[in-house]
Amino acid sequence: MSLKMNQSLSVTVDNVLFTIRDDSLHVLLVKRAKEPFAGQWALPGGILDTDKDADGERAASRILEEKTGLRINYLEQLRTYAGDFDPRGYTVSIAHFALTSDFALSPKVASVEEAQWVPVKLLSDLKLAFIHRDIIEDALNRLREKAKYSLIPLYCLPKQFTIVGFTKVMSVILGKTIQRKTVQRRLEQVEAIVPVKGEVATGTRGPQSQLYTLTKPINEINFERNLN
Amino acid sequence: MSLKMNQSLSVTVDNVLFTIRDDSLHVLLVKRAKEPFAGQWALPGGILDTDKDADGERAASRILEEKTGLRINYLEQLRTYAGDFDPRGYTVSIAHFALTSDFALSPKVASVEEAQWVPVKLLSDLKLAFIHRDIIEDALNRLREKAKYSLIPLYCLPKQFTIVGFTKVMSVILGKTIQRKTVQRRLEQVEAIVPVKGEVATGTRGPQSQLYTLTKPINEINFERNLN
DNA sequence: ATTAACTGTGTCCCTGTGACACTATTAATT
DNA sequence: AATTAATAGTGTCACAGGGACACAGTTAAT
């Protein structure tokens, strides 16, 4: 615990931001302009700024906000990767896991940085920089595990959502059919989730569906049983 | 992701090593000899060595082995704390969560470093360096959560253990009575856990109890339901 | 006006845990 | 040596929550 400085060591922050578009899971990637790994896809990240960033989460928020122009719905630390995966030297990368509702990337951001929503299913076809494939894999596992016992996939949806909408998100994330009934039972026992009175979703065939919303954060709510 | 070096930034590794002694949960602490926080208790940790440590886990193993002289049973990354909690400057601390069976600290280690097993219940009376109180709290939560759906508390026990022994460990960690039957049901559906034939535990009143052992790591085994 | 899709709800089954009792076994006590 | 008390293993019942599925009422498309 004596602190001589570590030599030639970079500390970065990387972010795995997921959303649901068109009933499939997408992750935000940027195309690298410079070496190393120029032309390859990478997670949106940056260098930890010891002046601006009081901690890792705030660093991640700052960087994501710079890249997307938006505040995202949910963010937590994923894990930290230390090692020799950057040709420029030993690196410590604090990776974060984030969720947001589907939105269009602002054109400026999209052009300058070439940030894009990439369907997770297509990742195997892409070249990914550094160890970002592993990081995405870990983030995916985190998301899938949490989907089993928590409500955080709600953060992939807009402020107002329907039971069926959430059921679809859950099914997409877990890769298997989830019963509406099951989702409904879970939602209705959480007092932080309330129907928006008067507000219904329409457009599709069938009856109008009730819209719900969150009155407080639901990231701490865990269920006793996992789905499946 | 362009890598100019962060200025004046230290990367350290801290370890929260738990065990069970005398039916209560203990954590390994060392008394700090130097400033800052001299004389206060701290987690066993050290500086990330980019030459020796291929990744964070190996750094943690190395440091714990140096401090205890022993290989510990289980280790995983907890989370990384970045911030201004060290008066000498901005620090990134990769914290780890570890378990081992009860053992006596080698006298040399115990005297030189003043490493000690401290009962978790007594922590509130101690002065703890840096943000180590928060880290221990997070590690405790991790342990308690994992105890609900996994078998990792087994790593607090010797190679051979009894059902009742494990039940006690679970009860201590979770702070409430766990039914022998429940533990037994969980154990017997895991094929990696086998009775050691011929080996029984004795000494206490009552029938001899069967000893079990692990044939492979059980850190990936998760149950669908949480206890309680 | 009819049809098809869809939302909300009711119900049954199944599984795993909690609780507790019963039996057999062993050490401590007399 | 006989008795007692503690203990390990097991059997069983109740309960809760998820999976599956069916049914009724509603809405848009035809």
Side-chain angles (χ1 to χ4, degrees):
Chain A
M1 294 280 359
S2 69
L3 276 216
K4 10 179 201 189
M5 224 50 78
N6 332 55
Q7 285 300 348
S8 73
L9 202 166
S10 293
V11 178
T12 64
V13 173
D14 284 312
N15 302 296
V16 188
L17 175 60
F18 291 114
T19 196
I20 303 278
R21 308 194 105 183
D22 314 321
D23 291 342
S24 80
L25 192 61
H26 287 61
V27 62
L28 186 69
L29 295 182
V30 298
K31 200 160 216 170
R32 283 185 61 79
K34 311 177 210 161
E35 290 294 340
F37 301 103
Q40 299 190 18
W41 291 96
L43 292 170
I47 298 180
L48 180 72
D49 186 325
T50 58
D51 294 326
K52 292 186 197 160
D53 304 324
D55 59 38
E57 273 82 357
R58 266 174 276 196
S61 298
R62 171 179 65 75
I63 289 167
L64 270 181
E65 219 168 313
E66 287 170 9
K67 305 262 181 191
T68 66
L70 293 173
R71 205 169 293 270
I72 51 104
N73 287 343
Y74 179 75
L75 186 140
E76 69 176 31
Q77 191 183 307
L78 177 62
R79 69 169 279 132
T80 295
Y81 302 82
D84 230 340
F85 44 81
D86 187 318
R88 289 165 295 180
Y90 200 100
T91 306
V92 172
S93 165
I94 311 175
H96 293 258
F97 161 75
L99 300 176
T100 195
S101 38
D102 184 18
F103 58 78
L105 298 167
S106 78
K108 189 184 68 179
V109 171
S111 67
V112 171
E113 281 272 5
E114 273 198 88
Q116 283 203 12
W117 288 118
V118 177
V120 166
K121 283 172 194 161
L122 270 54
L123 283 179
S124 46
D125 302 332
L126 296 183
K127 283 205 164 187
L128 290 176
F130 306 104
I131 50 168
H132 289 186
R133 190 181 302 282
D134 296 324
I135 300 178
I136 295 171
E137 168 106 25
D138 289 345
L140 265 173
N141 287 334
R142 173 80 62 99
L143 175 59
R144 291 190 177 124
E145 285 306 307
K146 287 216 162 193
K148 290 184 191 169
Y149 62 81
S150 81
L151 295 173
I152 60 156
L154 277 176
Y155 290 120
C156 293
L157 289 172
K159 296 275 175 293
Q160 300 196 351
F161 54 89
T162 64
I163 292 179
V164 172
F166 185 46
T167 306
K168 270 189 192 149
V169 168
M170 293 289 281
S171 298
V172 166
I173 291 172
L174 293 174
K176 54 161 283 191
T177 306
I178 300 297
Q179 301 283 327
R180 270 176 301 155
K181 186 74 186 191
T182 302
V183 172
Q184 185 191 20
R185 279 189 285 226
R186 284 190 160 197
L187 290 183
E188 72 194 10
Q189 84 182 54
V190 176
E191 60 186 24
I193 296 175
V194 295
V196 190
K197 72 172 181 179
E199 289 293 314
V200 288
T202 181
T204 57
R205 223 186 268 198
Q208 302 172 327
S209 48
Q210 178 64 53
L211 284 168
Y212 292 81
T213 196
L214 304 181
T215 59
K216 50 182 95 144
I218 43 78
N219 32 316
E220 302 285 337
I221 299 172
N222 295 327
F223 297 93
E224 192 175 309
R225 302 195 192 177
N226 287 341
L227 299 185
N228 192 2
Chain B
M1 296 282 357
S2 69
L3 276 217
K4 9 179 201 186
M5 225 49 78
N6 332 55
Q7 284 301 348
S8 73
L9 203 166
S10 293
V11 178
T12 63
V13 174
D14 284 313
N15 303 296
V16 188
L17 175 61
F18 291 114
T19 197
I20 305 277
R21 309 194 104 184
D22 313 321
D23 291 343
S24 79
L25 191 61
H26 288 60
V27 61
L28 186 70
L29 294 181
V30 299
K31 198 160 217 171
R32 284 184 61 79
K34 310 178 211 162
E35 290 295 338
F37 301 102
Q40 299 192 19
W41 292 97
L43 293 170
I47 298 181
L48 181 72
D49 185 325
T50 58
D51 293 326
K52 292 186 198 161
D53 304 324
D55 59 39
E57 273 82 357
R58 265 173 277 195
S61 298
R62 173 180 63 77
I63 289 167
L64 270 181
E65 219 167 315
E66 286 170 9
K67 305 261 182 192
T68 66
L70 293 173
R71 205 169 293 270
I72 52 102
N73 286 343
Y74 179 74
L75 187 142
E76 69 176 31
Q77 191 183 307
L78 178 61
R79 68 168 279 131
T80 295
Y81 303 81
D84 229 339
F85 44 81
D86 188 318
R88 289 164 294 180
Y90 200 102
T91 306
V92 172
S93 164
I94 312 175
H96 294 258
F97 161 76
L99 300 176
T100 196
S101 38
D102 184 17
F103 57 80
L105 298 167
S106 78
K108 188 184 70 177
V109 170
S111 66
V112 171
E113 281 272 3
E114 275 200 85
Q116 284 204 11
W117 288 117
V118 176
V120 165
K121 282 172 191 159
L122 269 54
L123 283 178
S124 46
D125 302 332
L126 296 182
K127 282 207 165 187
L128 290 176
F130 307 105
I131 49 169
H132 289 185
R133 191 180 300 281
D134 296 324
I135 299 179
I136 295 171
E137 167 108 24
D138 290 344
L140 264 172
N141 286 334
R142 173 79 62 98
L143 175 60
R144 292 190 176 124
E145 285 305 309
K146 287 216 162 192
K148 290 184 191 168
Y149 61 81
S150 82
L151 295 174
I152 60 155
L154 277 177
Y155 290 120
C156 294
L157 290 173
K159 296 275 175 291
Q160 299 196 352
F161 54 89
T162 65
I163 292 179
V164 171
F166 185 46
T167 306
K168 270 190 191 147
V169 168
M170 293 289 281
S171 298
V172 165
I173 291 172
L174 294 173
K176 55 161 283 189
T177 306
I178 301 296
Q179 302 283 327
R180 270 177 300 155
K181 187 73 186 192
T182 303
V183 171
Q184 184 191 19
R185 280 188 286 225
R186 284 188 162 199
L187 290 184
E188 72 194 10
Q189 81 182 56
V190 176
E191 60 186 24
I193 296 175
V194 295
V196 190
K197 72 171 181 179
E199 289 293 314
V200 288
T202 180
T204 57
R205 223 185 269 199
Q208 301 174 326
S209 48
Q210 178 63 54
L211 283 167
Y212 292 81
T213 196
L214 304 181
T215 58
K216 49 182 95 141
I218 43 77
N219 33 316
E220 302 285 338
I221 298 172
N222 294 327
F223 296 93
E224 191 176 310
R225 301 195 193 177
N226 287 342
L227 298 185
N228 191 3

